[in-house]
Amino acid sequence: MKHIKTSFAAILLLLLLSACGNSSVEKVIVAGSTSVQPYAEVLAEEFSILVPDSEVDVQGGGSSAGISAAEDNTADIGMSSRGLKDSEMDLWHIEIAKDGLVMIVNPANSVSDLTLEQIRGIYTKSIGNWSELGGTDAKIHVIAREEGSGTRDAFESLIMGGEWVTPKAIIQNSNGAVKQIVSSDPNAIGFISLGLADSDVKVLNLDGVTPSGENVKNGLYSLYRPFLFVSSRPPEGAVKRFIDFTCSAEGQKLLADEGLIPMEGN
Amino acid sequence: MKKFNEKLSGRVFFILALSSISMLALITVFIISRGVPLIANVGLKNFFGMTWAPSRGLFGITPMIIGSVSVTLGAAIIGIPIGLCCSIFLAEFAPVRMREIFRPAIQLLAGIPSVVYGFWGLLFVVPFIRNYLGGAGLSILAGSIILGIMILPTIISISEASILAIPKQYLYKEGALALGLTQLQTIRFVLLPAAKSGIVSAVILGIGRAIGETMAVIMVLGNSVALPTSVLDPVRTLTTNIGIEMGYAKDEHQQALFATGIVLFIIIMILNSTAQYLTRRKR
């Protein structure tokens, strides 16, 4: 019996101690788009080195969840990888970077250039064979992202123009998985973020334009989406310092190094 | 004091036991309360329709039901014969020492995490199908092979146990052999019928495992929401529908995933209670 009392006392003591552990750390909660999340994490890591008494907590949840979290103040900053809807325009927001969307095929594929109509044809299954596009005689294996994904939303609004992605498309639930399939299947086509394309896959030109940060900036390459930070009120304190850091030359360079397209002037 | 302690420990065990059951109740109530409103809202016709496009208000899960059935059927075709032969071999033919190697090895098969099965399938089975049979490789066949292997431990251990559990005092086997039946005939006409209920429940539990599996098949099935026309076509099962879309799902879309869970829950409950009924009836 005595042992039980002692251990109870010990547990109580521990609880009390842990409750006192908070010092004057300023905490910023960032939540939303899982497309923005990895980049926000890089920024948060660098920021915590620069400003030691701050803590930036980055969470996922998706663009819409991030925007509503900012609206009801459960997050200090909401991340969005889509433009704001009219009903959301009264929120304070800033574009931190742009993200290009690229079509990728296997490096062994001889096709290297497609038009918007051709991509739409592939994803509606009205084009089913690579030979119709100047490639070898083989069936096209269409890879897409799952319903609800921000990358799929961007693809549908930038390319599909209201038409439906074929239900026969193979669905993968991350950029990495799409890339993995395309890099191993010579007849596959998929779409991922520009920053994540590497030598494992072949990036297709669009109407003869090479996808690059440069071509997005000068308006030649049209497949991109904005990455936004959203807040319910104009930022102040640690939140403002984090956003200022994101928009600074240093923060923008971090984002550019990770493959995003920085804002004007950087 | 001693009596009091006895009583107290009885209570403690009862409360802990109760908590495990209340978990089940909690999960059931949660899934149903989240999923049923959607089915009520969109109607059974939409919910059991052919088109799944949550962003456009279409929640048809029929392609997924067909996906689950076809992949599970494939797994059964691959897994049951192998599993059954293996359990007969272990119970009747294998020398003791070989049995001692086989049993732990099969247990080990059950211990491999499903994500490892999936990864192996993606890097080995899928390219093999793509290169030698055609299609994208991500297919019903790939999922069936992976699941067929994954259900082996369940089928083997339960059916082996039920063959070994045939009461020795009735001398089924010895009688059959004495009547001049060969060993194969003894197994076919005496032992298997005697162990039938155990074997059937082994098969049902194996099928239940196959239907419920998510992680491994997400990686190799391709997850298309269209009706398959061959075993080389990609499909989506009920479980992978939840697994692949839960990340971004919200509002009605999220409810629809819970509703998918209800259907899955009902299917697995039917399978499990059938298995239980069959094992109970034997005694």
Side-chain angles (χ1 to χ4, degrees):
Chain A
M1 235 20 202
K2 204 178 162 194
H3 285 292
I4 295 176
K5 271 183 193 159
T6 332
S7 49
F8 257 122
I11 289 170
L12 269 179
L13 200 67
L14 268 176
L15 282 174
L16 278 174
L17 280 176
S18 63
C20 301
N22 275 333
S23 57
S24 59
V25 172
E26 279 188 289
K27 201 168 175 184
V28 182
I29 297 172
V30 185
S33 165
T34 45
S35 305
V36 189
Q37 191 182 4
Y39 305 103
E41 275 162 4
V42 171
L43 289 167
E45 199 178 312
E46 198 63 29
F47 184 69
S48 68
I49 297 169
L50 287 174
V51 189
D53 61 341
S54 70
E55 190 183 323
V56 180
D57 185 12
V58 182
Q59 300 158 5
S63 294
S64 296
I67 292 169
S68 54
E71 263 172 345
D72 57 26
N73 284 320
T74 43
D76 300 305
I77 300 172
M79 302 178 282
S80 172
S81 52
R82 59 164 172 80
L84 295 182
K85 293 170 185 161
D86 286 340
S87 60
E88 298 159 345
M89 283 310 271
D90 52 339
L91 288 165
W92 184 91
H93 60 271
I94 186 167
E95 186 178 306
I96 60 162
K98 287 186 175 74
D99 180 33
L101 190 75
V102 291
M103 304 304 303
I104 53 169
V105 294
N106 191 273
N109 198 320
S110 61
V111 174
S112 58
D113 192 306
L114 291 177
T115 66
L116 273 181
E117 285 70 44
Q118 285 172 328
I119 299 172
R120 205 177 298 148
I122 292 170
Y123 276 83
T124 52
K125 278 273 172 184
S126 61
I127 299 174
N129 197 301
W130 282 111
S131 62
E132 295 169 60
L133 303 163
T136 49
D137 179 25
K139 253 182 94 177
I140 301 176
H141 299 151
V142 180
I143 323 276
R145 291 290 304 278
E146 79 280 16
E147 282 266 347
S149 130
T151 313
R152 176 167 173 146
D153 282 352
F155 177 80
E156 286 189 342
S157 64
L158 292 169
I159 292 172
M160 296 309 284
E163 287 195 71
W164 293 38
V165 171
T166 167
K168 287 197 180 298
I170 287 170
I171 305 292
Q172 295 293 315
N173 64 351
S174 70
N175 275 306
V178 171
K179 207 175 80 180
Q180 210 282 329
I181 304 279
V182 170
S183 68
S184 66
D185 183 350
N187 300 318
I189 183 168
F191 52 85
I192 60 171
S193 278
L194 171 62
L196 298 171
D198 58 25
S199 57
D200 288 347
V201 292
K202 178 169 159 187
V203 174
L204 293 182
N205 292 347
L206 181 75
D207 292 315
V209 179
T210 313
S212 69
E214 225 26 66
N215 283 339
V216 168
K217 276 187 188 168
N218 60 27
L220 285 174
Y221 189 73
S222 58
L223 302 183
Y224 64 87
R225 54 182 170 158
F227 277 2
L228 304 176
F229 274 179
V230 182
S231 183
S232 63
R233 52 176 182 272
E236 52 192 39
V239 178
K240 183 172 182 346
R241 279 208 293 279
F242 180 63
I243 292 177
D244 286 348
F245 169 71
T246 303
C247 302
S248 70
E250 200 180 351
Q252 290 290 306
K253 186 176 177 304
L254 276 176
L255 294 178
D257 288 347
E258 294 289 325
L260 291 185
I261 302 147
M263 297 186 306
E264 293 301 314
N266 283 294
Chain B
M1 192 63 190
K2 197 174 172 193
K3 207 175 169 190
F4 173 76
N5 269 353
E6 286 287 311
K7 250 188 183 166
L8 183 76
S9 55
R11 289 273 156 78
V12 169
F13 277 97
F14 174 66
I15 289 169
L16 289 177
L18 204 64
S19 72
S20 73
I21 293 192
S22 56
M23 275 311 157
L24 176 70
L26 209 67
I27 292 172
T28 314
V29 168
F30 187 78
I31 296 176
I32 290 175
S33 70
R34 285 298 187 87
V36 165
L38 177 107
I39 304 177
N41 273 348
V42 303
L44 284 177
K45 204 175 160 219
N46 183 338
F47 187 63
F48 288 104
M50 299 305 278
T51 316
W52 172 264
S55 55
R56 296 166 201 255
L58 293 171
F59 301 97
I61 64 161
T62 304
M64 272 89 93
I65 295 178
I66 291 170
S68 275
V69 169
S70 54
V71 176
T72 307
L73 202 69
I77 291 171
I78 293 168
I80 292 173
I82 299 177
L84 217 54
C85 291
C86 187
S87 64
I88 294 170
F89 171 76
L90 285 180
E92 289 301 313
F93 294 103
V96 180
R97 197 185 284 164
M98 197 181 275
R99 217 181 275 176
E100 275 165 9
I101 299 171
F102 262 74
R103 277 213 192 106
I106 287 161
Q107 293 304 319
L108 206 62
L109 204 60
I112 298 175
S114 56
V115 67
V116 176
Y117 277 105
F119 196 47
W120 173 75
L122 185 62
L123 295 185
F124 182 74
V125 180
V126 168
F128 183 86
I129 294 174
R130 181 167 58 227
N131 295 339
Y132 295 100
L133 300 173
L138 300 154
S139 57
I140 297 178
L141 183 61
S144 301
I145 292 173
I146 299 293
L147 285 180
I149 299 169
M150 288 181 77
I151 62 175
L152 282 180
T154 313
I155 296 181
I156 294 172
S157 54
I158 300 178
S159 41
E160 189 205 350
S162 67
I163 295 173
L164 291 175
I166 298 169
K168 290 275 181 289
Q169 69 266 35
Y170 298 139
L171 301 173
Y172 278 119
K173 199 167 113 189
E174 289 74 4
L177 291 171
L179 284 171
L181 267 70
T182 64
Q183 193 170 13
L184 218 57
Q185 285 169 324
T186 310
I187 290 166
R188 166 76 182 80
F189 296 108
V190 179
L191 293 184
L192 285 187
K196 197 174 81 186
S197 66
I199 291 172
V200 171
S201 61
V203 167
I204 292 176
L205 288 176
I207 286 175
R209 168 117 168 81
I211 279 197
E213 179 52 44
T214 314
M215 203 53 229
V217 285
I218 256 185
M219 299 167 84
V220 300
L221 276 185
N223 309 312
S224 303
V225 233
L227 288 181
T229 52
S230 89
V231 289
L232 299 177
D233 278 353
V235 288
R236 183 182 297 194
T237 65
L238 292 164
T239 49
T240 51
N241 188 42
I242 302 174
I244 205 158
E245 295 199 351
M246 66 182 176
Y248 301 101
K250 51 193 183 296
D251 308 334
E252 279 206 318
H253 187 182
Q254 195 183 47
Q255 290 179 351
L257 297 186
F258 276 109
T260 316
I262 297 177
V263 176
L264 198 60
F265 200 73
I266 293 171
I267 294 175
I268 289 177
M269 233 155 52
I270 293 172
L271 283 175
N272 277 358
S273 32
T274 316
Q276 234 169 36
Y277 171 74
L278 288 172
T279 26
R280 285 242 178 92
R281 200 183 50 174
K282 192 183 126 193
R283 285 179 194 143

